[in-house]
């Protein structure tokens, strides 16, 4: 499935991802009000991934509702609306409106590592996670997914609290707070100085997080998946779905069909069904 944060801001982009072979799509994180985001530069590409600090640019829920209704009428796969905000009440408000505009599930962004007052700052302690998930749960009928940060001391405890508070599934993981300095200019490259590291560099961390969470509830494995082998690793760790984000920037939309074809021949070679693969490395 398409991970939140890339190609998720308009109906036409989401449609292109469906046509490329994704099994589900996640929107960009939507906030209560329009936000311009940070000024350039907002992305640094690295050999082993990328660091982004976009600043949660988005049209706000009023505007995005129209886009989501259009997407809903044109797209045949599940659409997951990503909800953000600076308080549990704000996130719950956005979540309810994403649901009403046609989202099949809502993902709470409790994990963006670099926008003050958002993301990981809302869900990094057990108390905050409990309050956030309970509040959002109250406004939803559709399944609730909580996207977790890998930058917490005990992701399993936090995941358990999210599930006990009403989450139906967890997404592991969002990006890791990082920095890149240009040694010639002798200053950080990103305008926000800090950003979120994604891509192959964080895959082993993401796999570990999936492994630690997969017996608590359904888990979406996200973080550095670029090939069928990477997807197989997530599934073996116990993920029931795999999120693709940064790989689209690095390899293009053909990454979805490439992974599907590769996984199919791997399963054939191993004589296993997809169901039998899930969690098989859990010992
Ligand atoms: C951003 O918009 O800066 C990234 C969002 C995220 O990491 O959740």
């Amino acid at each position: 499935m398409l991970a939140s944060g890339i190609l998720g801001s308009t109906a036409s982009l989401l449609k292109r991802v469906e046509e490329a072979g994704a099994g589900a799509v996640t929107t960009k994180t939507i906030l209560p009000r329009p936000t311009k985001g940070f000024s350039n530069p907002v992305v640094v590409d690295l050999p082993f991934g990328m660091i982004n600090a976009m600043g949660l640019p988005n049209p706000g829920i009023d505007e995005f509702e129209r886009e989501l209704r259009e997407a809903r009428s044109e797209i045949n796969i599940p659409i997951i609306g990503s909800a953000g905000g600076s308080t549990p009440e704000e996130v719950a408000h956005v979540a309810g409106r994403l649901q009403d505009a046609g989202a099949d599930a809502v993902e709470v962004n409790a994990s963006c590592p670099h926008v003050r007052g958002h993301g990981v700052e809302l869900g990094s302690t057990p108390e905050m996670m409990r309050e956030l998930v309970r509040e959002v749960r109250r406004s939803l009928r559709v399944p609730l997914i909580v996207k977790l940060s890998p930058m917490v001391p005990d992701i399993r405890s936090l995941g358990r609290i999210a599930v006990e508070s009403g989450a139906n599934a967890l997404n592991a993981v969002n990006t890791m707070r990082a920095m890149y300095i240009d040694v010639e200019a002798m200053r950080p490259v990103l305008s926000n100085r800090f950003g979120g590291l994604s891509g192959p560099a964080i895959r082993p961390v993401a796999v570990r997080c999936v492994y630690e969470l997969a017996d608590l509830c359904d888990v979406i494995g996200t973080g550095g998946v670029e090939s069928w082998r990477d997807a197989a690793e997530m599934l073996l760790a116990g993920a029931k779905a795999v999120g693709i984000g940064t790989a689209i920037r690095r390899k293009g939309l053909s990454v979805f069909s490439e992974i599907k074809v590769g996984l199919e021949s791997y399963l054939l070679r191993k004589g296993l069904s997809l169901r039998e693969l899930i969690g098989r490395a859990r010992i």
Side-chain angles (χ1 to χ4, degrees):
M1 52 191 270
L2 175 72
S4 178
I6 183 160
L7 302 183
S9 53
T10 67
S12 58
L13 287 172
L14 290 167
K15 183 73 190 164
R16 275 182 57 201
V17 179
E18 177 186 33
E19 286 164 358
V25 288
T26 314
T27 70
K28 174 82 184 151
T29 296
I30 302 302
L31 301 179
R33 286 166 294 281
T35 312
K36 260 179 65 199
F38 299 139
S39 51
N40 282 323
V42 291
V43 176
V44 187
D45 288 298
L46 300 166
F48 42 83
M50 75 179 215
I51 309 178
N52 90 85
M54 314 291 288
L56 294 169
N58 80 101
I61 187 64
D62 288 348
E63 179 68 32
F64 192 72
E65 258 175 352
R66 274 191 287 279
E67 205 66 42
L68 186 53
R69 286 186 205 283
E70 187 186 328
R72 184 62 293 162
S73 68
E74 288 174 10
I75 291 176
N76 300 309
I77 53 176
I79 302 177
I80 298 157
S82 173
S86 57
T87 62
E89 293 72 24
E90 280 192 2
V91 182
H93 172 75
V94 172
R97 289 182 64 184
L98 289 169
Q99 163 186 267
D100 296 344
D104 298 284
V106 169
E107 179 175 280
V108 166
N109 183 345
S111 42
C112 172
H114 52 260
V115 179
R116 190 159 295 156
H118 290 263
V120 76
E121 291 190 23
L122 282 189
S124 57
T125 67
E127 298 71 33
M128 291 162 95
M129 180 61 79
R130 196 170 292 117
E131 191 191 343
L132 175 64
V133 178
R134 280 190 184 157
E135 188 67 36
V136 179
R137 180 74 272 169
R138 267 200 283 276
S139 60
L140 284 188
R141 296 176 304 277
V142 298
L144 168 57
I145 304 162
V146 176
K147 189 162 186 179
L148 297 172
S149 168
M151 304 185 312
V152 289
D154 184 355
I155 196 166
R156 186 172 166 81
S157 303
L158 216 52
R160 191 194 297 279
I161 286 165
V163 173
E164 285 168 0
S165 308
N168 304 98
L170 300 170
N171 189 339
V173 289
N174 207 321
T175 57
M176 300 183 74
R177 192 169 163 86
M179 178 180 243
Y180 185 77
I181 292 173
D182 180 329
V183 297
E184 295 303 329
M186 297 193 224
R187 45 184 300 141
V189 171
L190 294 169
S191 70
N192 186 54
R193 297 176 298 152
F194 307 110
L197 176 64
S198 59
I202 70 161
R203 203 184 71 247
V205 177
V207 171
R208 183 269 298 170
C209 292
V210 169
Y211 193 101
E212 288 197 85
L213 295 166
D215 61 342
L216 296 177
C217 68
D218 289 349
V219 173
I220 302 162
T222 306
V225 173
E226 292 204 331
S227 69
W228 69 262
R229 279 183 181 280
D230 304 340
E233 205 182 340
M234 285 292 191
L235 296 164
L236 285 162
K240 295 242 173 73
V242 177
I244 312 283
T246 302
I248 300 171
R249 184 174 169 92
R250 289 163 60 88
K251 295 179 89 171
L253 275 171
S254 61
V255 68
F256 286 102
S257 52
E258 188 195 310
I259 289 176
K260 278 202 319 196
V261 170
L263 263 183
E264 271 162 16
S265 58
Y266 171 67
L267 289 171
L268 215 58
R269 180 158 59 79
K270 293 288 183 191
L272 293 172
S273 68
L274 187 54
R275 209 170 279 280
E276 287 166 335
L277 188 72
I278 291 171
R280 210 173 174 88
R282 300 181 61 77
I283 48 176

